[in-house]
Amino acid sequence: MSVRLTDQPWLTAASTRAVMAALEAAGGPGCARFVGGCVRNALIGVPVDDIDIATTLKPEETDKAIRAAGLKAVPTGMAHGTVTAVTERTPFEITTLRRDVSTDGRNATVAFTDDWAEDAARRDFRLNALYADADGQVFDPTGHGVADVKGGRIVFVGDPETRIAEDYLRILRFFRFFAWYGRGEADPAALAACRERAPGMGRLSAERVSKELMKLLSAPDPRPAMAAMDGARVLAQVLPEATSCAQFDAAVDLTADPALRLMTLLPADAEVAKGVSGRLRLANAVRDRLMQAATAFPSVDLSMSDAAARAAVYRHGVRAVMDALYRRWAEAPGRGDDARRLLRLVEDWTPPGLPVGGRQIARLGVAPGPETGRLLKAFEDGWVADDFPSEGHAERLAALVNRPRE
């Protein structure tokens, strides 16, 4: 049955037509087709963020064709056949049709081809091996891609173990695509292959693994995929520190933040957070959130007073306390009223600066040195414990200076 993309602004945009016209001027009609995610998403009405194009033109020919049309060409991966065309500030990644010559589970040596079926055969999943021409006519070389998209099935192209052996990252990609596009039960053959090949993920770079993991955790509801990962022993391979998924399951209903979802998979331990962040080479911002929330966690609970909440914010920061509150809420999903009240308080409160310093202590006759630090610390502790009073600072400080040392 013929399938055509309709009502797709990106397909009819002037920038898209300019790129396709440039390629067809060099290689003739049909030498270029949209491929992968843009076709898949268009079929199910999901927004299209990236536009990838496959072509029979060799990389040098692609580069020349783009430049001849007056468009910007960026040689982003010539050795692997990729040139990026940029027009109207929109990038189009254009890659020559390829076939794998050899693979080692991490990188592939490729050869260029003009055979669309060969190019499709080296792709990961049938729903990603879809092409469409400039008019939106869809081509489905595997014969199952369109049905998989519409049925929410994530099925490898050909033999799952062979596809995984070519690149072990495809294990995580399977669960990521299942989280975003899958419905019903995961493909049994794919799960079995992922389970069998999971140890091979040790060959992958930490950056590739963490990127896929964070994309998976960003899905609207990653719980079925995470449960499938756990059952296939893939979660233990990627995140051996993960504890019970119960808090994670609850957290998915509370937040779409992937970093917060990740921390609910881990024990509230700053050293564990540091170890995970280092091993997976997580972004510094994510690492800091994991560690700071774990440090704040013991000081936070859903029964705390407003004063205690303000004290926690002063000691640990707004973001860390909010993250810790979400963790507590995931522990006790039924206490939403308490959690929401505290989250509003924390978000709306701005911690004041310490109202005294070394100069005020010096005026009381204390010589600069360790005693100044001790007095400032004692003043701060009392000021925080009393919920940040705005007056009486001089009297409080004088009392500390004049208090006999024990």
Side-chain angles (χ1 to χ4, degrees):
M1 185 175 87
S2 178
V3 177
R4 185 180 296 274
L5 305 182
T6 58
D7 300 322
Q8 295 296 315
W10 64 270
L11 184 65
T12 57
S15 55
T16 305
R17 290 196 173 280
V19 172
M20 294 297 277
L23 296 172
E24 292 191 342
C31 76
R33 295 173 180 171
F34 304 105
V35 64
C38 59
V39 182
R40 176 196 66 229
N41 286 13
L43 286 171
I44 53 175
V46 173
V48 171
D49 297 321
D50 301 309
I51 302 174
D52 293 337
I53 299 171
T55 181
T56 56
L57 294 173
K58 299 299 186 287
E60 297 78 9
E61 296 171 328
T62 299
D63 185 85
K64 183 178 179 181
I66 295 300
R67 295 179 190 278
L71 307 178
K72 181 179 180 181
V74 182
T76 43
M78 296 288 280
H80 289 88
T82 302
V83 177
T84 299
V86 182
T87 177
E88 298 182 18
R89 291 185 286 188
T90 301
F92 298 81
E93 192 170 277
I94 307 164
T95 303
T96 302
L97 302 187
R98 299 177 293 182
R99 60 180 175 83
D100 288 336
V101 175
S102 63
T103 61
D104 62 4
R106 182 174 178 177
N107 299 298
T109 301
V110 300
F112 302 132
T113 179
D114 58 5
D115 188 329
W116 294 93
E118 279 191 320
D119 187 76
R122 68 175 299 276
R123 295 185 179 271
D124 48 12
F125 311 114
R126 299 186 316 202
L127 84 172
N128 288 338
L130 290 170
Y131 306 80
D133 65 18
D135 295 324
Q137 180 65 47
V138 174
F139 298 86
D140 185 359
T142 71
H144 300 281
V146 171
D148 284 353
V149 170
K150 295 182 177 181
R153 293 187 293 272
I154 315 301
V155 181
F156 281 97
V157 174
D159 177 60
E161 288 205 31
T162 300
R163 292 286 81 77
I164 291 171
E166 292 166 350
D167 184 354
Y168 285 99
L169 192 68
R170 285 174 172 167
I171 294 176
L172 266 183
R173 283 176 62 82
F174 170 77
F175 293 105
R176 193 247 289 186
F177 277 91
F178 184 63
W180 279 94
Y181 302 105
R183 295 198 300 276
E185 297 295 322
D187 179 58
L191 282 177
C194 290
R195 183 187 184 102
E196 181 66 24
R197 293 285 186 172
M201 296 177 67
R203 303 183 189 186
L204 298 171
S205 70
E207 292 86 352
R208 295 181 78 201
V209 170
S210 60
K211 184 177 180 180
E212 285 294 326
L213 179 61
M214 297 307 283
K215 286 181 178 179
L216 189 162
L217 292 173
S218 299
D221 187 356
R223 287 173 291 198
M226 192 63 66
M229 278 181 68
D230 194 19
R233 298 183 183 174
V234 172
L235 181 59
Q237 188 73 33
V238 176
L239 207 61
E241 300 87 351
T243 52
S244 168
C245 288
Q247 286 184 40
F248 170 79
D249 289 347
V252 170
D253 287 327
L254 306 179
T255 177
D257 184 336
L260 188 47
R261 288 174 172 183
L262 173 61
M263 70 178 67
T264 61
L265 284 167
L266 304 172
D269 185 309
E271 286 303 309
V272 171
K274 181 179 180 181
V276 170
S277 300
R279 191 185 73 253
L280 294 180
R281 297 187 184 177
L282 296 173
N284 290 345
V286 175
R287 175 202 64 201
D288 292 346
R289 281 188 66 187
L290 295 181
M291 293 181 64
Q292 290 164 8
T295 301
F297 188 74
S299 304
V300 171
D301 66 73
L302 299 183
S303 299
M304 67 197 312
S305 66
D306 290 5
R310 285 188 283 266
V313 171
Y314 181 83
R315 299 293 190 190
H316 302 288
V318 172
R319 180 73 269 171
V321 173
M322 289 185 71
D323 285 343
L325 282 169
Y326 271 109
R327 290 200 64 152
R328 291 296 190 188
W329 191 359
E331 286 181 340
R335 297 190 62 185
D337 289 345
D338 294 328
R340 282 185 285 268
R341 179 186 66 79
L342 288 167
L343 285 166
R344 284 194 299 269
L345 182 154
V346 167
E347 190 171 25
D348 293 341
W349 186 68
T350 301
L354 189 66
V356 301
R359 185 175 298 177
Q360 287 89 341
I361 294 176
R363 288 173 182 162
L364 294 173
V366 179
E371 180 65 5
T372 297
R374 185 192 71 79
L375 289 167
L376 281 175
K377 178 67 167 58
F379 176 92
E380 182 180 47
D381 289 345
W383 178 64
V384 172
D386 290 343
D387 199 17
F388 310 96
S390 59
E391 298 177 344
H393 308 315
E395 294 81 1
R396 183 188 295 266
L397 192 59
L400 286 170
V401 170
N402 296 322
R403 179 186 298 169
R405 293 290 299 273
E406 296 179 0

